[in-house]
Amino acid sequence: MGLRLRAALLMALMAAAAFTGAEAWRSLRAPEDKNLPHEIYDSFAERAEGAVCYLRESGGYVAVFETGRSREPLRVTRIELKCLRAADRAMVEAGIPVLSRQELLQLLEDLGS
């Protein structure tokens, strides 16, 4: 094999490796949240300071957390995240601040139906 052909093959393999590495790196980043209904979620997010608890995801289920940054849920519901509509799933994944027990029960009822 000629020297030029070997160099061309080496360059092609290096380009393929660089492209494959870039695609692998891109797949590791969190996907953009295209399903999050910002106009609705923003109304919830504005109330975060007065929240008594948060609805977030835990182990594939909707869970109730004490704060937006709590690691352990107070309670995990039977509502599976995969069964929710894309918009509801995105809101739960982002974390929904809840102002009262009554609102918590209403949100859980809405998500569970």
Side-chain angles (χ1 to χ4, degrees):
M1 211 186 251
L3 185 59
R4 287 185 188 205
L5 184 57
R6 287 181 185 176
L9 182 59
L10 181 61
M11 294 299 280
L13 290 173
M14 287 174 44
F19 176 76
T20 304
E23 288 299 311
W25 180 258
R26 195 172 322 182
S27 72
L28 293 175
R29 292 188 319 187
E32 290 184 24
D33 218 353
K34 297 177 184 174
N35 295 322
L36 184 65
H38 290 285
E39 62 280 351
I40 297 171
Y41 183 74
D42 290 345
S43 67
F44 281 104
E46 291 172 355
R47 312 173 315 157
E49 283 188 27
V52 296
C53 62
Y54 284 77
L55 286 179
R56 292 192 352 238
E57 184 271 339
S58 178
Y61 292 88
V62 176
V64 181
F65 287 82
E66 186 175 3
T67 68
R69 296 185 185 265
S70 299
R71 291 182 184 246
E72 293 296 320
L74 296 172
R75 179 171 182 249
V76 179
T77 70
R78 294 182 181 174
I79 304 168
E80 291 184 79
L81 209 60
K82 67 181 181 182
C83 295
L84 298 179
R85 296 178 304 174
D88 290 339
R89 186 178 325 117
M91 287 179 57
V92 170
E93 287 173 346
I96 302 174
V98 181
L99 294 179
S100 67
R101 180 174 169 77
Q102 182 178 357
E103 182 182 29
L104 173 64
L105 295 174
Q106 181 65 43
L107 285 169
L108 291 174
E109 182 179 337
D110 291 346
L111 292 172
S113 58

